Amino acid sequence: MTNLNASHANHHNFILTGIPGMPDKNPWLAFPLGFLYTLTLLGSGSILAVIKVEQSLHEPMYYFLSILAFTDVSLSMSTLPSMLSIFWFNAPEIVFDACIMQMFFIHVFGIVESGVLVSMAFDRFVTIRNPLHYVSILTHNVIGKIGIAVLTRAVCVVYPVPFLIQRLPFCHSNVLSHSYCLHQNMMRLACARTCVNSLYGLIVFIFTLGLDALLILLSYVLILKTVLGIASRGERLKTLSTCLSHMSAVHLFYVPFIGASMIHRSGEHLSPVVHMLMADIYLLLLSVLNPIVYSVKTKQI
């Protein structure tokens, strides 16, 4: 018992991983990572600035886009401190409390991003189904309430996770397999049963991201039903084209996320590099590509 307590006491820090098996290559990634973070800030910041300045963009669709851009920046900034410490300063150690805090913000903003995509799907549905009542339905007050609801839901479902992690003893390895802290990654290092953590993580996944994906699918089924009722083929294509940016953003979020989740749960036999790449694509490239997608596919932007 004394040895266990001593081991647990030593685990006030975790070691983050750069490139698994190739620590000497870490410095080479410093500049590409810095470039990607700069692109995220410039892209999302430009969208936020343009929407604020341009009066013609003060519409529900662009308000939701502003929330998405702000979420992308927040998600990126959640991983930035640990990325910089590894690749720029060669300091992979992170204290336990800082790791918990980073994990909390990453998961919160990930769920917020999913909720914003659902809100944008609802926005597209209202636009196509009731174009004449679009502005009267999605008022500033309604958009504000939707934003608060999305953030509140994310905080509430992630709030128990730090306490579930803190109750676990960490008396084995303290080396994480990513460059930032994730619940499932920290959970694997515990030297106790993690059934409660796994079950709670699965419940959160099903009733947040899983439910969001179903709502988005339902929205597009209803949108497609409405579009098929339009007589002109040209009008049908024009109406569907207004959804291209959102559909691209949905794919950019859910495809890497589902891939990373599947690899975490059933990809133990895969190389650690695969785990790292999938997680980085989900958390980093998403924030870089979203502004590009909306800038290219949205004529007004």
Side-chain angles (χ1 to χ4, degrees):
M1 185 66 179
T2 304
N3 291 336
L4 179 61
N5 288 336
S7 299
H8 188 200
N10 291 332
H11 280 55
H12 290 305
N13 299 328
F14 284 105
I15 305 299
L16 299 167
T17 302
I19 306 175
M22 296 184 290
D24 57 311
K25 304 293 183 182
N26 285 345
W28 292 98
L29 277 182
F31 291 101
L33 282 172
F35 179 67
L36 289 177
Y37 277 111
T38 303
L39 277 182
T40 298
L41 290 173
L42 286 176
S44 296
S46 297
I47 286 179
L48 289 169
V50 167
I51 292 173
K52 181 179 180 180
V53 171
E54 185 58 49
Q55 292 293 324
S56 64
L57 300 181
H58 291 181
E59 297 179 3
M61 171 186 173
Y62 300 105
Y63 289 134
F64 284 123
L65 179 55
S66 297
I67 299 173
L68 183 68
F70 181 78
T71 305
D72 283 335
V73 171
S74 300
L75 190 58
S76 262
M77 293 303 101
S78 298
T79 62
L80 179 62
S82 58
M83 287 284 200
L84 286 180
S85 69
I86 295 171
F87 296 104
W88 283 85
F89 304 112
N90 194 28
E93 198 170 33
I94 183 171
V95 297
F96 183 80
D97 289 340
C99 196
I100 290 279
M101 185 179 296
Q102 184 184 51
M103 174 199 68
F104 177 80
F105 284 115
I106 288 175
H107 289 302
V108 163
F109 287 119
I111 294 175
V112 167
E113 179 112 11
S114 179
V116 173
L117 290 174
V118 174
S119 305
M120 296 177 82
F122 176 67
D123 168 79
R124 292 296 84 207
F125 169 70
V126 174
T127 304
I128 294 170
R129 192 67 176 266
N130 296 297
L132 298 178
H133 300 91
Y134 175 57
V135 177
S136 62
I137 292 173
L138 289 173
T139 62
H140 290 180
N141 189 36
V142 170
I143 294 171
K145 288 180 179 178
I146 290 174
I148 292 171
V150 167
L151 179 60
T152 302
R153 181 191 70 157
V155 171
C156 288
V157 298
V158 179
Y159 184 75
V161 174
F163 299 101
L164 291 175
I165 284 292
Q166 285 178 326
R167 71 183 180 85
L168 296 174
F170 293 93
C171 51
H172 297 320
S173 172
N174 65 338
V175 180
L176 297 169
S177 58
H178 293 309
S179 307
Y180 37 79
C181 301
L182 297 174
H183 174 235
Q184 56 268 39
N185 197 195
M186 297 176 69
M187 184 178 67
R188 288 173 184 260
L189 300 182
C191 53
R193 291 175 63 85
T194 58
C195 297
V196 174
N197 293 65
S198 296
L199 180 61
Y200 186 75
L202 183 61
I203 290 171
V204 168
F205 175 81
I206 292 172
F207 286 100
T208 55
L209 300 171
L211 181 60
D212 288 352
L214 286 176
L215 290 173
I216 292 172
L217 179 61
L218 177 61
S219 296
Y220 274 101
V221 168
L222 296 174
I223 287 171
L224 190 59
K225 182 180 177 182
T226 303
V227 169
L228 291 176
I230 300 174
S232 168
R233 182 174 181 272
E235 285 297 317
R236 288 201 296 266
L237 292 175
K238 183 179 178 180
T239 302
L240 281 176
S241 68
T242 63
C243 301
L244 284 178
S245 298
H246 179 255
M247 287 191 287
S248 300
V250 169
H251 280 85
L252 285 174
F253 178 81
Y254 282 101
V255 172
F257 177 81
I258 292 171
S261 298
M262 291 177 65
I263 285 175
H264 266 294
R265 290 188 175 274
S266 57
E268 292 85 357
H269 61 287
L270 296 175
S271 166
V273 177
V274 176
H275 287 257
M276 182 202 72
L277 286 176
M278 287 302 298
D280 287 351
I281 287 172
Y282 161 60
L283 286 176
L284 191 54
L285 285 185
L286 168 70
S287 302
V288 174
L289 293 177
N290 269 344
I292 296 174
V293 166
Y294 274 95
S295 298
V296 170
K297 291 187 177 294
T298 306
K299 183 179 178 181
Q300 291 84 345
I301 296 291

